[in-house]
Amino acid sequence: MQSILEIKNLKFSWPGSSAPLLDIESLQVDKGESVFLQGASGSGKSTLLNLIGGVLVPQEGSVEVLSKDLVKMTAAERDQFRGDHMGFIFQMFNLLPYFSAMENATLPCQFSKVKKARTLASGGSVEAEATRLFAELKLGPDVLKMKNVTQLSVGQQQRVAAVRALIGKPEIVIADEPTSALDADIRDRFIELLFLECEKIEASLLFVSHDQSLSSRFDRTIRLSDLNRASQAVSSDRELGGSL
Amino acid sequence: MTVARVAIKSLLSRKVTTVLTILSIALSVSLLLGIERVRTAARSSFESTVSGVDLIVGARSGPVNLLLYSVFRIGNATNNISFESFDEWSRHKNVDWTIPISLGDSHKGYRVVGTNQNYFRHYMHSGSQKLKFSSGQTFEQLFDVVIGAEIAERLKYSVGDRIVLSHGSESVAFQDHYDKPFTIVGVLKKTGTPVDKSLHISLKALRALHLDWQSGAPPRPGEEVSVEEIVESELVPSDVTAFFVKLKSRIAVFKLQREINNYQPEALMAILPGITLRDLWQTLGTAENALLVVSAMVFFVSLIGMLIALLSTLNERRREMAILRSVGAKKGFIFTVLVFETTLLTASGIALGVSMLYFGLIVGKPILETKLGLSLGLMAPSNNDFFYLISIFGGGLVASIVPAWRAYRNSLGDGLTIRR
Ligand SMILES: Nc1ncnc2c1ncn2[C@@H]1O[C@H](COP(=O)(O)OP(=O)(O)OP(=O)(O)O)[C@@H](O)[C@H]1O
Ligand SMILES: [Mg+2]
């Protein structure tokens, strides 16, 4: 099995703090694998995703995505690499308020030639591909035409964000608590659709949540506290904070 | 994805702040340039109050004082000069022509100038503009008067009207020359100089008014001389207040000035009007500079306003920046978007400000011309204007660095996740 992500001996601490927040000996994700990353609030899940996305750089160790070490790249190369090979969905505020749903969804193709080329290769235009994805995610033409995306429901906004994460067939889709703002019913449908689409484009899915009940559908569940050697030392107060 | 598209869409999504920011820049631009226009116009109109005159001669006092009463008709001469001196210098071999100026009387606060035909033939203002009549002509009969444009307008006088002059000037006029009324025979065109506020009569008429006066005191009862009793040959003026001199060749100007200053029979002083006008303007220059400082401050405040407007939206925009970064936007992109936005704001502000200025000039031109005698040409922006515009633009660019840098820093610290 080809590995998509490989982290080795990673150590990261935020500037100004003495103790490392993350100390991970190894983390490996295969192509097409879906991974559920579970951890308490404040345990460093989002920080880890920023490291994988190449926005943050660890003080030690390597972060290899598609066999390329992000740590060795320049900042601009990392930005480009992220645009070309990853798709992101966040908990909230996924959309640029002054762009339409279509403009938001096709944003990655504006920044990445790779994604644009892949989208065009699947036939038709970028807009046609987005329209197809919208339909798969059960977003009708009325949503597409909506000028003001802030008028969409949170569930609709998350699906527009999913279209944006999926367009251009990224190798890895990273979702940071994308369902926390959704109620149970909508959440399950959303995850269902996300899984389906990731399978179609053979993307690995890295899904972060503190909601244990979602873990059963994933190929693998990782507890950050098991993975992170730094968490043992400081976990007590973090776990406490997280349960609030 | 172009920087321009993100910047413009983002600006449009904050319409109110955007419009207000542009408006405040526009206002300060038009204010700055407008003040600059008025300033240069005021200066040039001031410096060309009298032109084509090489020397102004009066009794010995301060040069500025002489200029003030002879040209601006402000204040009074401490002494007059004798008509003989005036006559002698008028016939000097280097002198082309002279214009006598005799002050002392007034009409409803406007000064009366006793002079001769040379005044209408040679007096020049605003470069090489001669005096022109809007109606009527110069004085011919003894009790004829030619009035300036402002007097005609304010007092609603026209050719044929009869008026009475008063002895003394302005507020201290105490005795009317009721017995010797004047007929208006000419109204001059607007000049934007003190000529507009003057009444012009002949030296003989001025003499006739005071024939029966004894050393500045009104005639005693029984000693009045009526109009019918006046004998033309007796109307020889005894003195004049000052006179303007035009030389045949300007080369002799300093030589003649020295000769006049050293004139033995009487203490005279000759000044070069251009130099004294400039000196006087320099004294008034403090007010001029204050204007400039005020407009510079207005501009500074509007830049701060723009900075505040941009910085206050920056917090909301952290999400925007995080989203852009998640789809592969580089850090430089964030920075450029912010700088571009400011540039766009400043540029639109400048464009709007300049259009507002020209609109104001078109609307305000006639008012300024008639009310203040200031002629503001609709000329293209001067080099000076461009200097101001470029500094404003540069100021905007420099100010944009602050929010741009903060957005850039934020996007580093925030990463892809905004915790709000
Ligand atoms: N920009 C930052 N600068 C400094 N410290 C930070 C920053 N972002 C996060 N941290 C710290 O890093 C730790 C982990 O934060 P992180 O957001 O990764 O947690 P998380 O697991 O995603 O939590 P949650 O489930 O609440 O989103 C926290 O203690 C936080 O204070
Ligand atoms: Mg988080």
Side-chain angles (χ1 to χ4, degrees):
Chain A
M1 206 49 162
Q2 191 193 342
S3 127
I4 277 283
L5 168 70
E6 197 152 6
I7 290 176
K8 285 193 204 112
N9 301 318
L10 176 142
K11 273 198 184 134
F12 177 82
S13 53
W14 283 102
S17 83
S18 49
L21 173 68
L22 295 171
D23 179 358
I24 296 169
E25 190 181 9
S26 124
L27 169 64
Q28 192 259 338
V29 176
D30 286 337
K31 183 172 168 42
E33 193 182 15
S34 64
V35 174
F36 184 78
L37 184 66
Q38 197 256 326
S41 181
S43 58
K45 304 183 296 291
S46 297
T47 306
L48 180 59
L49 294 190
N50 272 320
L51 286 161
I52 295 169
V55 184
L56 296 173
V57 187
Q59 281 81 16
E60 278 177 40
S62 62
V63 180
E64 278 182 27
V65 180
L66 299 165
S67 312
K68 298 226 171 54
D69 191 355
L70 295 179
V71 181
K72 296 211 179 83
M73 293 183 189
T74 66
E77 283 170 344
R78 279 195 295 273
D79 290 331
Q80 192 63 58
F81 192 83
R82 171 178 351 107
D84 289 346
H85 303 290
M86 302 178 195
F88 286 87
I89 313 170
F90 305 110
Q91 178 177 350
M92 284 183 100
F93 312 126
N94 268 297
L95 308 178
L96 293 176
Y98 44 81
F99 280 160
S100 68
M102 177 57 90
E103 285 171 314
N104 264 289
T106 54
L107 211 48
C109 294
Q110 304 265 12
F111 282 100
S112 163
K113 286 199 184 72
V114 175
K115 277 190 181 171
K116 186 170 184 181
R118 282 191 203 145
T119 311
L120 295 177
S122 68
S125 63
V126 170
E127 279 71 24
E129 172 70 359
T131 310
R132 191 188 65 77
L133 280 169
F134 272 115
E136 304 235 327
L137 286 165
K138 313 265 180 283
L139 289 168
D142 46 324
V143 172
L144 266 163
K145 283 198 202 82
M146 187 87 82
K147 268 221 126 155
N148 194 346
V149 288
T150 52
Q151 285 167 358
L152 296 175
S153 77
V154 180
Q156 287 171 324
Q157 288 187 25
Q158 292 305 76
R159 278 178 285 162
V160 174
V163 173
R164 184 177 63 203
L166 294 163
I167 202 161
K169 301 189 174 56
E171 284 86 348
I172 178 162
V173 172
I174 296 175
D176 192 355
E177 311 203 41
T179 56
S180 309
L182 306 179
D183 58 44
D185 197 32
I186 295 173
R187 181 194 64 197
D188 290 346
R189 292 219 323 263
F190 177 80
I191 291 177
E192 203 59 56
L193 291 168
L194 188 60
F195 259 92
L196 215 71
E197 290 308 312
C198 284
E199 265 163 33
K200 274 190 196 158
I201 62 173
E202 296 173 17
S204 308
L205 175 62
L206 194 53
F207 191 105
V208 162
S209 178
H210 51 252
D211 186 352
Q212 189 99 49
S213 69
L214 301 174
S215 64
S216 58
R217 336 170 64 96
F218 288 79
D219 296 340
R220 185 150 60 106
T221 298
I222 300 172
R223 284 175 60 90
L224 187 57
S225 52
D226 298 341
L227 197 68
N228 184 10
R229 288 181 299 197
S231 73
Q232 270 85 46
V234 285
S235 64
S236 53
D237 66 307
R238 284 240 165 77
E239 296 292 345
L240 198 69
S243 66
L244 286 176
Chain B
M1 171 64 39
T2 59
V3 169
R5 229 163 79 83
V6 172
I8 290 168
K9 286 250 180 182
S10 177
L11 280 177
L12 287 179
S13 75
R14 291 170 278 127
K15 276 195 195 72
V16 179
T17 348
T18 305
V19 167
L20 285 180
T21 311
I22 291 177
L23 213 61
S24 86
I25 295 173
L27 280 176
S28 68
V29 165
S30 53
L31 197 64
L32 192 71
L33 295 191
I35 286 177
E36 193 55 19
R37 284 288 163 102
V38 172
R39 201 173 64 91
T40 45
R43 164 182 234 134
S44 70
S45 113
F46 182 88
E47 287 185 354
S48 60
T49 310
V50 55
S51 49
V53 169
D54 292 328
L55 290 171
I56 298 175
V57 183
R60 202 166 286 164
S61 66
V64 170
N65 189 34
L66 172 56
L67 186 80
L68 283 179
Y69 67 72
S70 65
V71 174
F72 293 94
R73 286 145 211 174
I74 295 170
N76 288 302
T78 43
N79 278 312
N80 278 358
I81 53 185
S82 71
F83 192 78
E84 289 74 47
S85 304
F86 163 66
D87 202 42
E88 187 180 336
W89 286 110
S90 297
R91 283 185 279 100
H92 188 280
K93 63 177 191 321
N94 285 339
V95 170
D96 188 3
W97 49 257
T98 55
I99 298 173
I101 300 286
S102 214
L103 302 168
D105 281 3
S106 66
H107 174 74
K108 302 206 167 152
Y110 293 105
R111 312 271 315 236
V112 171
V113 180
T115 184
N116 61 18
Q117 298 298 339
N118 276 358
Y119 191 92
F120 304 104
R121 212 173 290 145
H122 297 302
Y123 191 96
M124 286 198 281
H125 66 94
S126 319
S128 52
Q129 307 266 152
K130 291 237 169 95
L131 295 177
K132 288 187 202 79
F133 285 88
S134 65
S135 63
Q137 80 265 309
T138 176
F139 42 72
E140 273 163 11
Q141 303 298 311
L142 188 55
F143 292 109
D144 283 355
V145 57
V146 172
I147 62 173
E150 191 187 314
I151 300 174
E153 198 182 296
R154 287 274 169 84
L155 303 178
K156 307 212 167 19
Y157 286 164
S158 52
V159 171
D161 289 352
R162 282 164 78 83
I163 58 173
V164 166
L165 305 184
S166 317
H167 191 76
S169 61
E170 288 149 84
S171 52
V172 293
F174 53 87
Q175 180 94 35
D176 289 339
H177 298 292
Y178 281 119
D179 53 336
K180 301 180 183 78
F182 278 73
T183 307
I184 298 173
V185 295
V187 177
L188 293 170
K189 276 196 176 147
K190 187 117 203 149
T191 64
T193 71
V195 172
D196 298 348
K197 300 183 192 176
S198 305
L199 300 98
H200 309 87
I201 61 175
S202 66
L203 289 174
K204 280 184 176 172
L206 199 65
R207 179 76 197 121
L209 279 178
H210 301 99
L211 263 183
D212 42 10
W213 286 51
Q214 299 295 322
S215 55
R220 269 168 270 157
E223 290 186 9
E224 295 101 335
V225 179
S226 69
V227 175
E228 295 75 37
E229 291 164 339
I230 292 173
V231 185
E232 276 280 335
S233 58
E234 279 180 16
L235 295 178
V236 180
S238 58
D239 51 19
V240 297
T241 312
F243 59 93
F244 298 158
V245 178
K246 172 72 178 180
L247 299 181
K248 288 183 178 133
S249 149
R250 263 194 71 84
I251 300 166
V253 69
F254 290 107
K255 186 166 165 277
L256 193 73
Q257 185 187 26
R258 222 173 315 120
E259 281 177 39
I260 293 175
N261 286 341
N262 295 330
Y263 184 56
Q264 281 310 318
E266 199 171 0
L268 295 182
M269 177 179 62
I271 59 166
L272 284 87
I275 291 175
T276 314
L277 276 167
R278 211 162 302 138
D279 285 352
L280 188 57
W281 185 258
Q282 301 279 298
T283 336
L284 302 172
T286 358
E288 184 189 346
N289 288 338
L291 271 185
L292 210 59
V293 169
V294 167
S295 51
M297 262 159 27
V298 166
F299 166 64
F300 191 66
V301 167
S302 78
L303 269 195
I304 301 245
M306 174 168 80
L307 204 60
I308 291 170
L310 286 174
L311 283 175
S312 66
T313 54
L314 219 51
N315 240 346
E316 291 168 31
R317 306 190 60 197
R318 292 167 90 140
R319 285 174 207 152
E320 220 180 299
M321 301 307 166
I323 294 164
L324 286 169
R325 295 217 60 197
S326 78
V327 294
K330 297 179 176 62
K331 285 172 288 183
F333 182 87
I334 310 289
F335 190 81
T336 323
V337 165
L338 266 291
V339 172
F340 188 85
E341 277 182 18
T342 327
T343 312
L344 214 58
L345 287 176
T346 330
S348 333
I350 288 176
L352 183 64
V354 171
S355 354
M356 272 161 57
L357 173 78
Y358 278 95
F359 181 75
L361 280 180
I362 291 168
V363 174
K365 192 176 152 76
I367 301 166
L368 281 172
E369 264 170 22
T370 49
K371 298 279 175 216
L372 296 176
L374 273 184
S375 74
L376 298 178
L378 277 180
M379 60 268 199
S382 66
N383 282 347
N384 227 349
D385 290 348
F386 276 117
F387 170 78
Y388 283 119
L389 292 180
I390 287 168
S391 340
I392 289 170
F393 194 71
L397 267 189
V398 170
S400 77
I401 304 292
V402 181
W405 178 251
R406 295 217 33 184
Y408 175 87
R409 298 285 320 171
N410 285 345
S411 91
L412 286 184
D414 288 342
L416 302 175
T417 34
I418 305 295
R419 263 161 294 271
R420 276 168 302 113

